[in-house]
Amino acid sequence: MTDLALDAESLRERAVTSLITARDRTTLLTGCVDEPDLTAQHSPLMSPLVWDLAHIGNQEEQWLLRAVAGQEAIRPEIDSLYDAFEHPRSERPRLPLLSPDEARRYAADVRGRALDVLESTAFDGTRLTEAGFAFGMIAQHEQQHDETMLITHQLRKGPQALTAPDPDPVPLFTGPSEVLVPGGPFTMGTSTEPWALDNERPAHRREVPPFWIDTTPVTNAAYLAFIEDGGYDDPRWWTAEGWAHIRRNNVTAPLFWRRDGGQWLRRRFGITEVVPPHEPVLHVCWYEADAYARWAGRRLPTEAEWEKAARHDPAGDRSTRYPWGDADPGPEHANLGQRHLRPAPAGSYPAGESPLGVRQLIGDVWEWTASDFLPYPGFRAFPYREYSEVFFGSDYKVLRGGSFAVDPVACRGTFRNWDYPIRRQIFSGFRTARSEDV
Ligand SMILES: [Fe+2]
């Protein structure tokens, strides 16, 4: 039996486990700093951590208690405070937010009731409860805010608050630097993954001409060669918007990097360290990724190319859930779930490679693609327009594959993330591609 054919009881168990895993991580991220740190705004790009905490509870209340179970609002007066569309992040510290203790109590109260609802809800009723979708959606939502809170931790000044073991060391990767993905149609997106979000649907055929793609994400050492070659001073490598952006904002290296004499240092969760050469480059914006690729005589892969490299199994002409097949991610496959606070060296996780031999597509760093965030043919907004539909268009670029900060419940071969091309506080890196005839 594949994971897609799980029965209702297994899905219910998966929902309980996913909700508990998410809450354990939320508790870790909000419990390792003191009250002033929870209510402070560490960057205008981010909410105070205490906003994320109560917002997690409020979304859970709105979807699981009210929409699924038809319950009355617990605290209707706070809905608007925690509505992400009503208040931009920069405004949130000035709102009359719940205190850290109130936020904790509220989120715990909602969770207790939500687990009761989960026990008593049939998984074959409405579209919202079919296969436990709403519970999976809420677990993914909390994990996505946990990733956001981890970004806040990275932006926060002050001593280290979080610790985690480093990924296992691996021998220097000496395999081929790129892999040929044969041309032809493949199945992109999904119509069967029970907790896939609206923008991943429906499955559809895409024609993709043959192309070469990097075996691993671009490393710090490779990116340093671009810097040392004057990459940030040469407009030839940049789009007009990218060039204007880096000049205006004095962008000369990845975020959190600084030159110290003859070496480059970076700040990572409160510690300063030498930039590790063989680790995938992190905290670059789309413009930087695009410029590097042009300098290297290459380009960013399109979103369809990325997904074909990750999911297409030429042997069976089918698309798998993950590069390694249909099994849920394990620690041998990918660096996910905040087990580590950094990407693993390039070439890690041979058990997670695709049938064609492409590595680290899932986990480690989000990978910028060349593509704008657009709906698939046959897209239908569900359960609300604000999940994806309002973001479609040319303002956002798609990122794929998830990072070390993404939990397995919120990561699939079909999962799509999107952000502005200037963003780099996110855990973003990239790999490059070229058309077969170039
Ligand atoms: Fe949210």
Side-chain angles (χ1 to χ4, degrees):
M1 187 166 70
T2 73
D3 289 291
L4 301 184
L6 285 175
D7 58 57
E9 277 327 295
S10 308
L11 282 163
R12 198 181 304 279
E13 230 168 82
R14 177 178 288 195
V16 173
T17 307
S18 302
L19 288 168
I20 291 172
T21 302
R23 187 52 49 88
D24 287 348
R25 186 173 173 201
T26 303
T27 304
L28 173 73
L29 288 161
T30 54
C32 65
V33 289
D34 58 18
E35 295 255 321
D37 254 344
L38 287 173
T39 53
Q41 187 168 44
H42 297 283
S43 157
L45 294 172
M46 309 306 289
S47 314
L49 292 166
V50 73
W51 186 92
D52 289 290
L53 177 57
H55 167 83
I56 286 167
N58 189 248
Q59 286 288 302
E60 185 165 326
E61 189 200 339
Q62 292 197 34
W63 287 102
L64 302 187
L65 304 192
R66 297 188 220 166
V68 170
Q71 296 181 13
E72 294 288 310
I74 300 174
R75 298 187 66 162
E77 77 282 4
I78 66 170
D79 283 356
S80 92
L81 293 176
Y82 297 104
D83 182 331
F85 287 89
E86 222 171 290
H87 304 286
R89 286 176 174 174
S90 57
E91 263 180 31
R92 293 175 191 168
R94 293 189 298 280
L95 299 172
L97 301 176
L98 300 187
S99 72
D101 272 348
E102 285 174 317
R104 285 192 185 101
R105 273 201 302 274
Y106 169 65
D109 181 19
V110 171
R111 173 52 55 87
R113 299 176 197 219
L115 291 175
D116 290 342
V117 171
L118 177 52
E119 269 310 302
S120 59
T121 299
F123 274 17
D124 54 2
T126 65
R127 220 176 134 206
L128 199 54
T129 53
E130 190 187 336
F133 175 81
F135 301 94
M137 178 183 78
I138 285 298
Q140 291 179 70
H141 177 260
E142 181 160 352
Q143 286 286 359
Q144 285 162 350
H145 276 275
D146 290 343
E147 182 183 10
T148 301
M149 289 196 279
L150 193 64
I151 295 169
T152 305
H153 275 275
Q154 169 64 11
L155 287 162
R156 170 184 161 270
K157 305 274 188 295
Q160 186 175 21
L162 288 163
T163 55
D166 282 341
D168 290 337
V170 290
L172 191 64
F173 182 67
T174 53
S177 66
E178 60 178 353
V179 167
L180 177 65
V181 180
F186 88 109
T187 300
M188 186 171 186
T190 178
S191 299
T192 51
E193 182 74 36
W195 295 352
L197 302 166
D198 61 358
N199 62 57
E200 299 167 67
R201 299 169 187 269
H204 58 286
R205 296 290 276 178
R206 276 284 172 113
E207 183 68 37
V208 179
F211 67 100
W212 293 86
I213 191 163
D214 290 342
T215 310
T216 72
V218 170
T219 63
N220 288 322
Y223 198 82
L224 260 170
F226 168 64
I227 298 177
E228 303 297 344
D229 194 41
Y232 281 86
D233 301 314
D234 193 334
R236 273 184 302 166
W237 314 131
W238 301 80
T239 61
E241 301 80 28
W243 181 250
H245 172 73
I246 65 160
R247 290 281 122 179
R248 201 178 321 119
N249 296 282
N250 197 27
V251 172
T252 57
L255 190 59
F256 308 114
W257 284 31
R258 72 180 165 84
R259 195 194 286 273
D260 180 49
Q263 62 182 355
W264 283 91
L265 304 178
R266 71 172 181 187
R267 195 164 53 76
R268 181 175 63 86
F269 300 109
I271 57 172
T272 298
E273 62 191 9
V274 175
V275 169
H278 305 304
E279 210 171 88
V281 67
L282 188 58
H283 297 302
V284 287
C285 70
W286 185 88
Y287 292 129
E288 291 169 293
D290 174 68
Y292 170 94
R294 200 167 290 111
W295 168 81
R298 301 171 67 83
R299 58 175 174 78
L300 293 178
T302 66
E303 184 182 13
E305 286 173 337
W306 189 97
E307 187 167 325
K308 187 172 181 183
R311 299 184 61 214
H312 180 61
D313 183 355
D317 186 26
R318 62 183 283 264
S319 289
T320 51
R321 296 175 72 210
Y322 296 96
W324 54 86
D326 293 328
D328 285 339
E332 72 280 22
H333 294 126
N335 179 7
L336 289 166
Q338 202 185 307
R339 291 198 316 273
H340 310 295
L341 288 168
R342 63 197 301 168
S348 295
Y349 305 107
E353 73 178 18
S354 74
L356 293 167
V358 187
R359 293 205 184 173
Q360 290 170 293
L361 288 151
I362 298 291
D364 291 305
V365 294
W366 282 108
E367 298 182 21
W368 287 111
T369 71
S371 302
D372 294 340
F373 184 47
L374 295 172
Y376 291 159
F379 168 83
R380 282 165 57 204
F382 180 78
Y384 57 117
R385 281 192 68 242
E386 287 73 18
Y387 189 81
S388 312
E389 192 175 0
V390 298
F391 299 101
F392 288 142
S394 57
D395 287 350
Y396 297 95
K397 295 293 183 191
V398 172
L399 300 110
R400 285 304 204 96
S403 72
F404 63 89
V406 170
D407 187 82
V409 79
C411 194
R412 294 169 284 279
T414 56
F415 193 93
R416 310 172 76 195
N417 187 9
W418 63 94
D419 216 326
Y420 291 118
I422 62 168
R423 286 284 181 257
R424 56 193 206 141
Q425 83 279 9
I426 56 178
F427 301 113
S428 51
F430 63 103
R431 74 180 71 216
T432 68
R434 67 182 168 101
S435 301
E436 197 209 8
D437 49 3
V438 174

